[in-house]
Amino acid sequence: MVEEKGNITDLESKVVYADLCCYCGACGAFCREYITYEDEKPTTKEKCYEYHGACYDFCPRTFFAPFDVERAVFGEVRKDNVLGYYKEILTARAKDPEIQKRAQDGGVVTALLSYLLESGKIDAAAVAKTAESDAWKPEPFVATSKDDVLAAAGSKYTQCPVLLGVGDAILDGKKSLALVGLPCHVQAMRKIQLSESFDVGADKVTAVIGLFCMETFDMEALKQKLAEIDVKIEDVEKFNIKKGKFLITVKGEEKSIPIKDMKGAMRPACRVCYDFAAEFADVSVGSVGSELGWNTVIVRSERGAELVKEAVEKGYLETQPLSEEGINAVKTLATRKKKENMKNIEAQAGKLKLLNMLVEPELLSLLLLE
Ligand SMILES: Cc1cc2nc3c(=O)[nH]c(=O)nc-3n(C[C@H](O)[C@H](O)[C@H](O)COP(=O)(O)OP(=O)(O)OC[C@H]3O[C@@H](n4cnc5c(N)ncnc54)[C@H](O)[C@@H]3O)c2cc1C
């Protein structure tokens, strides 16, 4: 991957103070002695004098070369500029009724992790689990059993520094890992894996499962939005986003807020993200395009294809091809995110250098929509 050099001061000026930090945890995951987090932002415990730091190198918002990543992970670059590189698109669900009951949608993510752990293909998975003491606050968690992944099932709509879980697992000596993350987490993971300057053992991450994502919310702003409809976050049983509505289940009853009214609660860093479908994952999973209780699954890499095939053969998943209508529904959301956010990126970055993206001019048209 093309690399720019920088240190924590550059990271602060270019990313943190520019409101671009997505709080993925990549900068601090392998630099525990210097970096910690306050108010969802990295901060230093003591002055660091490195000229080029892993914090700058691993951040998905300092520089990112999408086509270098695609060549490295998929062997070629995308033909589809909306969904990214993929082999096939399926609709799928977990076969285990317990997973179906506890998961967000069809339980594909939890079923894939259960298969990987139970077959011994991984010994840990970095996931986001709700904090015991703080309702709905997601925390990085290293899952090592099916019970663990079940405990972390379900979508939390605020940001979680999941890469800290990857760091914990590697520093703890885990041999083979999966990561579940949003598009920003996946981009960070690929940067860590492809870094030419720092080897932290990230080749141990053998399965990268991405989640579709339009945005995450700021926790305080989310609580305020809930207060407007007389809901306390500790009473919420489930959050979901479906058909333009933010759905909130409280004591078995479903309340909703139009998603356009939630835009003010969006984390600022999400406004410059152009990736809806976790374009650089081995397998990307969401719900749009599929029936209720099923997932839409974009199989991207060779590894991802093998994983889904084996999980079907071993009885963890059932799959069907996704209808053209379903695929178009995914494309509609991905296009909306790219179009809206490209405007924000261009406004902040100018036209020649697209913010953190280092793109060969002849390939630029593959990213931009008309
Ligand atoms: C913030 C957010 C926004 C999303 N937006 C969309 C969308 O617009 N359209 C769409 O179709 N799908 C969206 N999804 C994906 C969708 O909500 C489900 O996660 C996906 O369909 C997988 O369902 P599942 O039943 O397989 O998940 P499960 O089997 O329940 O597993 C969910 C996994 O997601 C992980 N997770 C939960 N919250 C987070 C988080 N904040 N950060 C990182 N990992 C997390 C958990 O650790 C768990 O492993 C979003 C998810 C999140 C977290």
Side-chain angles (χ1 to χ4, degrees):
M1 144 124 53
V2 187
E3 285 190 354
E4 267 177 21
K5 308 272 184 220
N7 59 18
I8 184 72
T9 312
D10 300 308
L11 185 75
E12 284 172 342
S13 63
K14 287 192 185 169
V15 177
V16 182
Y17 303 143
D19 259 351
L20 299 179
C21 172
C22 49
Y23 188 41
C24 66
C27 55
F30 300 94
C31 190
R32 305 292 168 105
E33 63 274 44
Y34 285 102
I35 294 181
T36 183
Y37 294 85
E38 276 170 24
D39 296 332
E40 303 198 342
K41 291 185 179 70
T43 178
T44 42
K45 293 185 202 168
E46 55 183 287
K47 187 124 183 78
C48 166
Y49 294 97
E50 290 294 333
Y51 154 71
H52 181 48
C55 55
Y56 190 90
D57 203 74
F58 295 167
C59 171
R61 294 293 168 77
T62 48
F63 58 91
F64 189 77
F67 303 122
D68 284 358
V69 175
E70 290 185 352
R71 284 186 204 100
V73 178
F74 309 129
E76 55 185 316
V77 300
R78 66 184 64 194
K79 293 183 182 67
D80 184 323
N81 61 355
V82 176
L83 297 182
Y85 182 87
Y86 64 84
K87 292 183 183 300
E88 60 175 339
I89 306 186
L90 304 166
T91 185
R93 69 174 174 183
K95 288 187 91 171
D96 179 343
E98 176 68 8
I99 296 181
Q100 285 178 13
K101 196 167 81 192
R102 293 179 55 182
Q104 183 71 15
D105 296 304
V108 166
V109 172
T110 301
L112 289 175
L113 296 180
S114 300
Y115 164 65
L116 287 167
L117 284 164
E118 291 183 334
S119 63
K121 292 196 179 270
I122 59 169
D123 53 2
V127 294
K129 188 177 163 190
T130 307
E132 274 168 30
S133 56
D134 203 345
W136 286 100
K137 182 172 186 282
E139 288 182 340
F141 178 64
V142 180
T144 56
S145 66
K146 182 178 173 188
D147 281 350
D148 281 353
V149 290
L150 272 171
S155 297
K156 298 95 190 167
Y157 287 92
T158 55
Q159 196 67 10
C160 177
V162 184
L163 271 297
L164 292 177
V166 174
D168 287 341
I170 292 178
L171 296 171
D172 190 39
K174 297 287 188 263
K175 293 191 175 57
S176 183
L177 307 175
L179 162 76
V180 179
L182 301 172
C184 48
H185 299 121
V186 173
Q187 291 183 9
M189 192 68 250
R190 293 310 187 195
K191 281 194 73 179
I192 299 173
Q193 288 177 318
L194 298 173
S195 170
E196 285 168 9
S197 302
F198 299 92
D199 180 358
V200 291
D203 54 339
K204 294 189 175 77
V205 181
T206 52
V208 177
I209 301 174
L211 304 172
F212 295 179
C213 180
M214 278 307 261
E215 71 263 297
T216 56
F217 301 123
D218 172 81
M219 181 56 101
E220 288 315 307
L222 170 62
K223 285 181 183 168
Q224 271 179 26
K225 287 283 172 194
L226 294 176
E228 287 168 18
I229 55 164
D230 281 332
V231 170
K232 287 202 189 101
I233 198 158
E234 21 326 338
D235 296 332
V236 175
E237 285 146 20
K238 183 170 181 170
F239 289 110
N240 211 342
I241 296 180
K242 291 262 180 284
K243 300 198 167 127
K245 287 185 183 154
F246 187 49
L247 304 172
I248 305 126
T249 310
V250 187
K251 296 181 186 135
E253 193 197 327
E254 196 167 84
K255 299 181 175 243
S256 72
I257 303 175
I259 202 72
K260 62 177 174 18
D261 294 351
M262 293 296 297
K263 290 290 170 198
M266 196 199 279
R267 292 186 92 252
C270 299
R271 293 180 211 283
V272 291
C273 172
Y274 46 84
D275 184 348
F276 168 76
E279 294 169 10
F280 307 96
D282 292 308
V283 182
S284 305
V285 188
S287 63
V288 60
S290 287
E291 297 291 319
L292 201 67
W294 288 71
N295 285 111
T296 294
V297 179
I298 305 184
V299 181
R300 299 187 184 278
S301 67
E302 207 56 62
R303 270 186 178 169
E306 258 171 51
L307 169 59
V308 171
K309 181 169 167 274
E310 288 171 12
V312 171
E313 283 169 3
K314 302 289 177 193
Y316 283 78
L317 279 190
E318 56 182 306
T319 66
Q320 290 167 18
L322 183 64
S323 66
E324 201 156 324
E325 199 189 347
I327 295 175
N328 285 337
V330 187
K331 285 191 170 182
T332 300
L333 275 193
T335 303
R336 190 179 304 155
K337 181 169 180 179
K338 281 183 193 291
K339 283 195 167 176
E340 277 178 22
N341 289 357
M342 265 310 169
K343 280 190 223 141
N344 301 334
I345 292 172
E346 282 183 333
Q348 222 167 318
K351 292 213 163 95
L352 285 178
K353 184 174 179 236
L354 282 174
L355 201 62
N356 61 332
M357 287 186 285
L358 305 177
V359 177
E360 300 91 312
E362 68 273 16
L363 290 176
L364 194 59
S365 61
L366 289 179
L367 276 182
L368 298 174
L369 304 175
E370 287 168 8

